[in-house]
Amino acid sequence: MIVTLTVNPSLDRTIELDQPLRPGGVQGAVSAREDAGGKGINVARAVSSAGVDVVAVLPLAPDDPFGAVLRRSSIVARTVAVDGHVRANVTITDPSGETTKLNLPGVALSEADAAAVVTAVVKASEGARWLVLAGSLPPGVRDDFYVDVIAAVRRAHGPSAPQIAVDTSGPALATVVARARPDLIKPNDDELAELVGRPALPPGDLASTAGELGRTLVPSRVAAALVTLGSAGAVLVTPEGAWSAAPPVIRVASTVGAGDSSLAGYVLADSLGAPADERLRHAVRYGAAAASLPGTQAPSPADLPEGDVIVTRLSPA
């Protein structure tokens, strides 16, 4: 079983245009859709579509309309009652695959709300293989919130605690890497550069640079790092080595949620006991599948592209 936590969920509204976005103008839309979103929920939907047991933990007011959208996703959810309704994020896509995203800050949580979420995660993660802590932190929640979650889960479950993956950014990511030593982090290239205090990674040699920077964190700060690189694929760094993988050719519909699906693909492969190169291959295949679907749709195994995903071992720095 896999458990996810989405402490800052979102109702993802995706608007599809038939022409490039014209700021300041008036345009008609081809279509629109709504999905239950937030990084952890996106991971849970992809895991559930693969037929693997998953539980999504999230704060949610009993009268929030988001609940109806979430129920349509057919994932098992454990909610913590809070005041206020889930934020709505807006994504605009055009025929070229160009994506514009507007994210709202989310519902503020009190200290009591945050403590209740931690308790719910500890309970849900009993017997789980992976716990995925994913997404930004909402207003009112301290930067070390994920550190508290990890400590509580490991204290409660001891040697039986699940492996813990963290997919966040900024101070929340820096704090968890400095203090909690998660089993996996999943930054993108910009988030990795910020984490290690470097300028943006050069596009010409993205994979090699990501591998070098990943080695500064693995295994001293984190057990492994899966670094997503958009159209350049992804890099996996473990104590045993580093690998890069380029995605198959696809027609991009929306890149929103592609990194979340990559993480889902990784934990799914790990749950089957796959070696490092196959975990990376599965992650890239899932990310490409998500990018080929409109909106924030979670790919199922039937959506995975048929093209080859070539995995290459990176030379040590």
Side-chain angles (χ1 to χ4, degrees):
M1 181 181 69
I2 294 167
V3 175
T4 71
L5 170 62
T6 309
V7 74
N8 199 16
S10 62
L11 180 63
D12 287 346
R13 294 191 172 111
T14 304
I15 300 169
E16 182 183 359
L17 304 178
D18 60 1
Q19 298 178 28
L21 177 67
R22 298 193 300 271
V26 177
Q27 290 179 250
V30 175
S31 66
R33 61 177 292 126
E34 289 186 338
D35 296 292
K39 283 182 171 294
I41 290 172
N42 294 340
V43 171
R45 288 163 55 209
V47 169
S48 178
S49 293
V52 174
D53 289 341
V54 63
V55 174
V57 180
L58 68 152
L60 185 68
D63 64 344
D64 194 328
F66 180 83
V69 182
L70 181 63
R71 286 190 292 274
R72 291 201 298 269
S73 69
S74 299
I75 60 174
V76 176
R78 293 192 184 179
T79 61
V80 176
V82 295
D83 293 327
H85 287 179
V86 166
R87 61 186 173 145
N89 291 340
V90 178
T91 299
I92 303 171
T93 65
D94 70 18
S96 71
E98 186 73 22
T99 300
T100 302
K101 202 166 190 297
L102 305 174
N103 288 348
L104 296 180
V107 176
L109 300 186
S110 67
E111 288 190 13
D113 293 333
V117 170
V118 174
T119 299
V121 173
V122 169
K123 184 176 181 179
S125 60
E126 183 176 2
R129 184 179 181 109
W130 275 97
L131 168 61
V132 177
L133 311 178
S136 61
L137 301 178
V141 174
R142 301 190 314 270
D143 292 338
D144 61 357
F145 174 74
Y146 286 141
V147 175
D148 291 345
V149 174
I150 292 170
V153 168
R154 288 175 173 168
R155 184 168 57 248
H157 301 305
S160 299
Q163 296 186 82
I164 299 176
V166 178
D167 182 6
T168 189
S169 60
L173 178 59
T175 304
V176 83
V177 167
R179 294 172 48 188
R181 200 178 185 276
D183 298 287
L184 178 72
I185 57 171
K186 196 224 67 64
N188 61 29
D189 52 311
D190 290 333
E191 292 162 349
L192 177 63
E194 180 184 15
L195 177 63
V196 299
R198 288 279 297 272
L201 275 59
D205 202 11
L206 205 55
S208 294
T209 307
E212 291 172 10
L213 296 185
R215 289 186 183 98
T216 68
L217 301 171
V218 177
S220 59
R221 293 288 190 179
V222 302
L226 172 65
V227 186
T228 50
L229 306 174
S231 61
V235 165
L236 174 63
V237 182
T238 77
E240 290 72 41
W243 296 262
S244 68
V249 176
I250 60 166
R251 181 183 180 279
V252 176
S254 172
T255 58
V256 178
D260 309 332
S261 290
S262 294
L263 180 52
Y266 182 94
V267 298
L268 283 168
D270 181 81
S271 295
L272 296 174
D277 59 340
E278 188 58 30
R279 298 197 300 270
L280 177 60
R281 181 176 287 110
H282 212 53
V284 168
R285 198 177 295 281
Y286 259 79
S292 69
L293 298 172
T296 320
Q297 292 189 65
S300 70
D303 297 314
L304 300 184
E306 296 180 356
D308 258 352
V309 175
I310 305 300
V311 175
T312 303
R313 185 153 192 157
L314 298 173
S315 300

